[in-house]
Amino acid sequence: MRRSEVLAEESIVCLQKALNHLREIWELIGIPEDQRLQRTEVVKKHIKDLLDMMIAEEESLKERLIKSISVCQKELNTLCSELHVEPFQEEGETTILQLEKDLRTQVELMRKQKKERKQELKLLQEQDQELCEILCLPHYDVDSSSVPSLEELSQFRQHVATLRETKASRRDEFVNIKRQIILCMEELDHTPDTSFERDVVCEDEDAFCLSLENIATLQKLLRQLEMRKSQNEAVCEGLRAQIRELWDRLQIPAEEREAVATVMTGSKAKVRKALQLEVDRLEELKMQNMKKVIEAIRVELAQYWDQCFYSQEQRQAFAPYYAEDYTENLLQLHDAEIVRLRNYYEVHKELFEGVQKWEESWRLFLEFERKASDPSRFTNRGGNLLKEEKQRAKLQKLLPKLEEELKARIEMWEQEHSQAFVVNGQKFMEYVTEQWEMHRMEKERAKQERQLKNKKQTETEMLYGSAPRTPSKRRGLVPNTPGKVRKLNTTIMSNATANSSIRPVFGGTIYRSPVSRLPPSGSKPVVTSTCSGKKTPRTGRHGANKENLELNGSILSEGSVPL
């Protein structure tokens, strides 16, 4: 049994005791029956009114609870719809009081969620508005009168985060471009003269509109300033080159050059102005020193002619070079010619450098060829002969390779420019062929001269006998070792046709073998013995051939080779 039921029974018992106690009091007092009845009616009425009043209050409470439940359910359904969540469902059977409490709790929770979402939406809208104003973008399309769903809020947050990243990226780009613009303006001594330039340079960085249009305009402004800066730098470099050229032509002393050293770097407006003033001053000096300047230009012209491999005809084609009337017009002609030659050299620089490399290699090759025919090379002190031979072999391989490379490059150049590439007035490959042919003819001429010299020497020796040659240094022949002498003589004589001047290399005196010859007087030939060492006396020639006759039986009898 419930405690409430127990309490109700106890209330009835108490009421019964109270009535019994009242009757006992009435009995003792002696109250008549009719008055007892009246008093009992009063007690009944008091009790009934009290109970009715309590019942009415409880009924009212029940009605309030039911009404609250209805209101909460209605509001809860609305909140669930606004928040895009499933409607609230009470689990199992419950009392009115519990249902009302659960519904009220759920409504409060839903209201809190709705408030939080609305607050977040408002905050995101404020951030979106601020970012869109800075980036000049349209606002995010969202219904501010309704409660956003969780997905909508997530998308909105992602959108705002993207805007923040865009802002940061554009701001970094803006700050970087602004810094470069300020540097360029300082370099050019440029003052902002438009509202946009003033906004960029003077306005607060956070207040600048970071729209794509503004960023593009910034980039365009930076390109314009950089172009002006590049042009200014080019002008300054041109002025400096002109100054150096005039310094060299006018032979300006170093002390005077040092006076303008401060403006020989940089490209600011004041530097450009100072450079222009120096150029004007030097131009005036140039006009005052016309002959000196023209002669300096002619020296430079000659250098470019050499670098461009100009032939004598090409050099003579520039007639003003040989003029002696030093006028302003002559100076202008020289200036125009030096500019043309300088440009011509720059356009063909790679080819000219290749030709120069071939020329240097060719000269070195000819030098080695000359040394190869020099008898003194056999001294070979310090291993020079071996080094020279290696270098000569290397050049023999290098020259054809260089010629092939230059030939391919020249053919390509001639196709591109539709003109012949000439060196010293003729096509390069014809020039190379001519050099090789001249080298071959020179070798052939030297060979013929050696053969003619050997022939004449042989004829002379056949007529008059050989004469001893005194070497520069004596080392080699030992009279008491005929075997060694024989070997040396054989080696030397076998190479006699290659070089007729190799005796001094080995030191000592070497004689050609005597042969029978007619005396100058026309008498009978004198027969010379190669064994006994004795001689047949002959009038008038005893003193001339004494040494030959004494050596006839030793060195010459063993190592002689007839020429």
Side-chain angles (χ1 to χ4, degrees):
M1 181 181 292
R2 296 179 179 177
R3 293 185 61 186
S4 58
E5 294 177 354
V6 174
L7 289 174
E9 291 181 357
E10 289 179 355
S11 298
I12 294 173
V13 172
C14 287
L15 179 59
Q16 187 67 38
K17 286 181 179 181
L19 289 174
N20 291 333
H21 193 197
L22 284 173
R23 282 195 300 268
E24 289 177 357
I25 294 173
W26 290 339
E27 283 287 339
L28 289 174
I29 294 174
I31 295 175
E33 183 65 25
D34 54 343
Q35 290 182 1
R36 292 183 184 179
L37 182 60
Q38 291 177 357
R39 290 178 184 273
T40 303
E41 286 291 337
V42 171
V43 171
K44 175 184 175 183
K45 183 181 179 182
H46 278 298
I47 294 173
K48 184 177 181 300
D49 290 342
L50 177 60
L51 292 176
D52 288 343
M53 183 181 64
M54 294 179 63
I55 291 172
E57 289 177 358
E58 297 300 325
E59 285 290 342
S60 175
L61 175 60
K62 185 184 73 170
E63 292 297 330
R64 290 198 307 272
L65 290 174
I66 292 173
K67 185 177 181 181
S68 177
I69 288 172
S70 176
V71 172
C72 289
Q73 284 179 339
K74 185 178 180 180
E75 185 178 0
L76 190 57
N77 290 334
T78 303
L79 290 170
C80 289
S81 176
E82 290 177 343
L83 296 173
H84 304 283
V85 296
E86 294 294 330
F88 176 74
Q89 297 290 336
E90 185 69 23
E91 297 180 358
E93 297 181 359
T94 182
T95 60
I96 294 175
L97 184 62
Q98 185 63 40
L99 179 59
E100 191 274 339
K101 182 181 178 182
D102 292 343
L103 289 174
R104 186 159 34 83
T105 303
Q106 193 67 25
V107 167
E108 291 176 356
L109 180 61
M110 291 292 184
R111 285 174 181 170
K112 183 179 179 182
Q113 290 184 9
K114 177 180 178 180
K115 182 180 179 181
E116 290 175 350
R117 291 192 189 182
K118 295 287 284 186
Q119 289 177 345
E120 185 176 3
L121 176 62
K122 183 179 179 181
L123 179 62
L124 290 173
Q125 285 178 325
E126 291 174 354
Q127 294 175 359
D128 176 71
Q129 182 178 1
E130 179 184 356
L131 292 170
C132 288
E133 287 177 356
I134 294 176
L135 299 174
C136 294
L137 295 174
H139 297 297
Y140 187 76
D141 186 15
V142 62
D143 186 7
S144 57
S145 61
S146 63
V147 180
S149 64
L150 294 176
E151 183 179 356
E152 290 173 342
L153 284 175
S154 177
Q155 293 176 356
F156 203 175
R157 284 193 293 268
Q158 183 65 35
H159 172 73
V160 172
T162 303
L163 290 181
R164 286 199 190 96
E165 293 177 359
T166 304
K167 176 188 173 183
S169 174
R170 291 189 187 177
R171 190 178 185 280
D172 290 343
E173 186 175 3
F174 163 69
V175 171
N176 183 39
I177 295 176
K178 176 181 177 180
R179 179 178 55 81
Q180 296 181 56
I181 287 175
I182 292 174
L183 290 176
C184 288
M185 287 183 175
E186 291 177 352
E187 186 74 18
L188 297 170
D189 288 339
H190 175 75
T191 303
D193 51 6
T194 64
S195 59
F196 181 78
E197 292 180 2
R198 286 191 291 270
D199 290 342
V200 172
V201 177
C202 306
E203 193 172 307
D204 184 14
E205 294 178 354
D206 296 329
F208 185 79
C209 181
L210 300 174
S211 65
L212 289 175
E213 183 180 358
N214 282 355
I215 295 296
T217 307
L218 273 175
Q219 293 172 345
K220 182 179 179 181
L221 175 60
L222 178 60
R223 286 195 297 270
Q224 292 174 350
L225 292 173
E226 286 180 339
M227 184 178 298
R228 287 176 54 189
K229 180 182 175 183
S230 299
Q231 293 173 351
N232 203 44
E233 289 175 349
V235 170
C236 290
E237 283 301 320
L239 291 173
R240 292 189 186 98
Q242 193 174 355
I243 288 172
R244 295 189 189 98
E245 183 177 351
L246 290 171
W247 278 350
D248 294 337
R249 288 180 180 177
L250 298 172
Q251 298 180 359
I252 302 297
E255 297 78 11
E256 191 173 342
R257 299 185 185 190
E258 288 295 329
V260 292
T262 55
V263 296
M264 295 305 287
T265 57
S267 59
K268 292 186 177 182
K270 60 181 181 181
V271 173
R272 178 176 176 179
K273 184 177 180 181
L275 290 172
Q276 188 62 54
L277 290 174
E278 178 66 10
V279 169
D280 295 340
R281 184 184 72 85
L282 293 173
E283 287 289 343
E284 186 177 353
L285 281 176
K286 183 178 75 173
M287 300 304 296
Q288 297 172 2
N289 298 271
M290 194 72 67
K291 180 179 179 180
K292 185 178 179 182
V293 172
I294 291 176
E295 289 177 349
I297 296 177
R298 285 175 176 175
V299 171
E300 189 175 357
L301 273 175
Q303 292 175 352
Y304 274 110
W305 283 343
D306 294 338
Q307 290 177 342
C308 297
F309 300 97
Y310 263 38
S311 64
Q312 191 63 32
E313 293 78 9
Q314 288 175 300
R315 302 184 186 207
Q316 291 176 352
F318 182 62
Y321 184 85
Y322 307 96
E324 296 183 358
D325 185 13
Y326 299 99
T327 63
E328 184 177 354
N329 183 42
L330 184 66
L331 176 60
Q332 291 175 355
L333 292 174
H334 279 74
D335 281 334
E337 181 65 13
I338 197 67
V339 170
R340 186 190 68 80
L341 267 179
R342 189 180 292 121
N343 294 334
Y344 178 75
Y345 177 76
E346 290 299 327
V347 171
H348 310 82
K349 185 175 181 180
E350 292 184 1
L351 287 178
F352 286 137
E353 288 177 350
V355 173
Q356 182 65 30
K357 183 178 180 181
W358 183 88
E359 284 277 358
E360 293 174 357
S361 301
W362 177 252
R363 284 195 295 269
L364 188 59
F365 173 73
L366 293 180
E367 179 66 18
F368 285 142
E369 287 285 296
R370 184 189 63 78
K371 290 182 178 179
S373 61
D374 186 2
S376 63
R377 78 187 195 279
F378 288 106
T379 56
N380 194 23
R381 292 185 177 180
N384 291 332
L385 180 60
L386 180 60
K387 293 178 182 179
E388 290 177 2
E389 286 298 320
K390 287 182 178 179
Q391 291 178 352
R392 189 162 70 99
K394 183 178 179 181
L395 284 174
Q396 284 178 332
K397 295 179 181 179
L398 177 63
L399 282 170
K401 184 178 179 182
L402 284 175
E403 292 166 8
E404 288 298 323
E405 291 179 356
L406 284 171
K407 181 180 178 182
R409 290 167 60 182
I410 289 173
E411 289 177 353
M412 185 181 301
W413 183 91
E414 290 179 342
Q415 291 177 359
E416 291 178 357
H417 295 80
S418 301
Q419 60 179 342
F421 182 80
V422 295
V423 173
N424 294 330
Q426 62 182 138
K427 290 185 176 181
F428 176 70
M429 296 312 298
E430 294 177 358
Y431 171 74
V432 171
T433 304
E434 180 180 303
Q435 294 298 312
W436 279 107
E437 182 63 22
M438 290 173 61
H439 174 61
R440 186 191 66 78
M441 293 174 64
E442 179 65 21
K443 290 182 67 175
E444 185 66 25
R445 184 189 61 78
K447 180 179 178 182
Q448 292 176 359
E449 287 181 355
R450 287 197 303 272
Q451 290 177 350
L452 181 60
K453 182 178 179 181
N454 291 339
K455 183 178 179 181
K456 289 182 178 179
Q457 183 177 356
T458 302
E459 291 176 353
T460 302
E461 290 178 352
M462 290 178 64
L463 289 174
Y464 305 108
S466 61
R469 300 180 182 178
T470 304
S472 58
K473 291 186 179 180
R474 294 184 174 273
R475 24 161 233 187
L477 296 180
V478 181
N480 297 329
T481 54
K484 291 185 180 180
V485 174
R486 184 187 304 114
K487 184 176 180 180
L488 183 61
N489 253 348
T490 305
T491 304
I492 294 173
M493 297 307 296
S494 64
N495 293 331
T497 57
N499 193 340
S500 61
S501 304
I502 58 175
R503 287 190 182 95
V505 176
F506 300 95
T509 303
I510 300 176
Y511 304 93
R512 297 185 183 275
S513 60
V515 294
S516 300
R517 60 189 185 283
L518 293 174
S521 60
S523 61
K524 293 182 180 180
V526 179
V527 179
T528 307
S529 174
T530 59
C531 299
S532 62
K534 298 180 180 180
K535 60 184 179 64
T536 303
R538 189 160 54 92
T539 306
R541 302 297 295 172
H542 177 77
N545 290 326
K546 181 179 179 180
E547 187 177 357
N548 288 348
L549 294 174
E550 289 176 352
L551 296 174
N552 201 21
S554 59
I555 298 175
L556 298 178
S557 63
E558 297 181 1
S560 62
V561 177
L563 297 177

